[in-house]
Amino acid sequence: MERRIRLKVLGISYSQLQSGAYALILAEVNGPRRIPVVIGASEAQSIAIKLEGIIPPRPMTHDLFVSFTHAFGVALKDVFIYKFEDGIFSSELTFTDGSRQIVLDSRTSDAIAIAIRSKAPIYTTPEILEETGFVIEEHLDDGQPIEEETTPASEAETEDIFSKEPKLENYTIEELERTLAQHIEMEEYEQAARISDILNRKKNENKNE
């Protein structure tokens, strides 16, 4: 069996290489390397609202797909990023109904959006990780490494994801909750994800006071 390395979703940031696109950051589990995958705005939105725990009033396409498979007793076993060619990652999804397995080809962005909803593992090959992976080394003033933040994206990354808006950080918790509900109702999920991140930080700060 081909050797596989497990990955996890670390976060999303605005792509510096392609206008209007986003970079999905996948991290090597129990390792330092990161893989950036360029994805479109709609896929970034779908992944971001799931990472932030936002429940839309109507199911999005990836939610509908997962609900459909569950309704027929089919589960996503894993996602495998098996090829990187001409700057494009190719992925496949392995589904099982308990007695048989079916492998389907997929865009990597769709595969990840479905995987995080199904809580399915994500894998790639050592060769792809070696070719596309990078290591970020950050240190404090005393030379000690900075502990890594995991999903959802850190505050700095979240600021990169979404366009700069008026200072939502100055809103009260009640105002943020009302604003969040309005954006969800209007299906403005990118802004809703940003507000949810700020709201969660404020609530955590209040708990620690």
Side-chain angles (χ1 to χ4, degrees), residues 61-71 74 113-115 117-118:
T61 302
H62 297 114
D63 297 311
L64 182 61
F65 181 88
V66 171
S67 296
F68 178 84
T69 58
H70 289 173
V74 177
I114 293 170
R117 286 165 167 80
S118 304

Side-chain angles (χ1 to χ4, degrees), residues 83-156:
K83 184 172 69 173
F84 179 74
E85 187 174 84
D86 297 328
I88 298 174
F89 292 90
S90 297
S91 297
E92 59 186 24
L93 303 99
T94 299
F95 292 93
T96 179
D97 62 1
S99 60
R100 61 174 181 159
Q101 290 189 170
I102 296 177
V103 179
L104 301 177
D105 199 37
S106 170
R107 295 190 306 170
T108 297
S109 55
D110 289 327
I112 300 302
I114 293 170
I116 61 176
R117 286 165 167 80
S118 304
K119 295 181 173 58
I122 304 163
Y123 298 97
T124 193
T125 67
E127 293 76 19
I128 290 176
L129 190 58
E130 181 66 28
E131 181 179 357
T132 66
F134 65 93
V135 177
I136 297 179
E137 294 184 358
E138 297 182 89
H139 297 274
L140 300 172
D141 292 338
D142 61 2
Q144 295 299 314
I146 297 176
E147 291 188 6
E148 171 190 309
E149 292 190 23
T150 57
T151 305
S154 66
E155 179 178 353

Side-chain angles (χ1 to χ4, degrees), residues 5 9 17 34 42 44 58 62 78 117 146 157 164 196:
I5 295 177
V9 178
L17 302 177
R34 310 285 182 263
S42 60
R58 296 182 295 176
H62 297 114
D78 60 48
R117 286 165 167 80
I146 297 176
E157 291 168 326
K164 299 295 184 294
S196 177

Side-chain angles (χ1 to χ4, degrees), residues 36-60:
V37 181
V38 176
I39 62 176
S42 60
E43 293 79 13
Q45 172 181 282
S46 178
I47 293 171
I49 67 169
K50 185 61 180 178
L51 294 180
E52 294 295 341
I54 295 173
I55 301 176
R58 296 182 295 176
M60 302 185 71

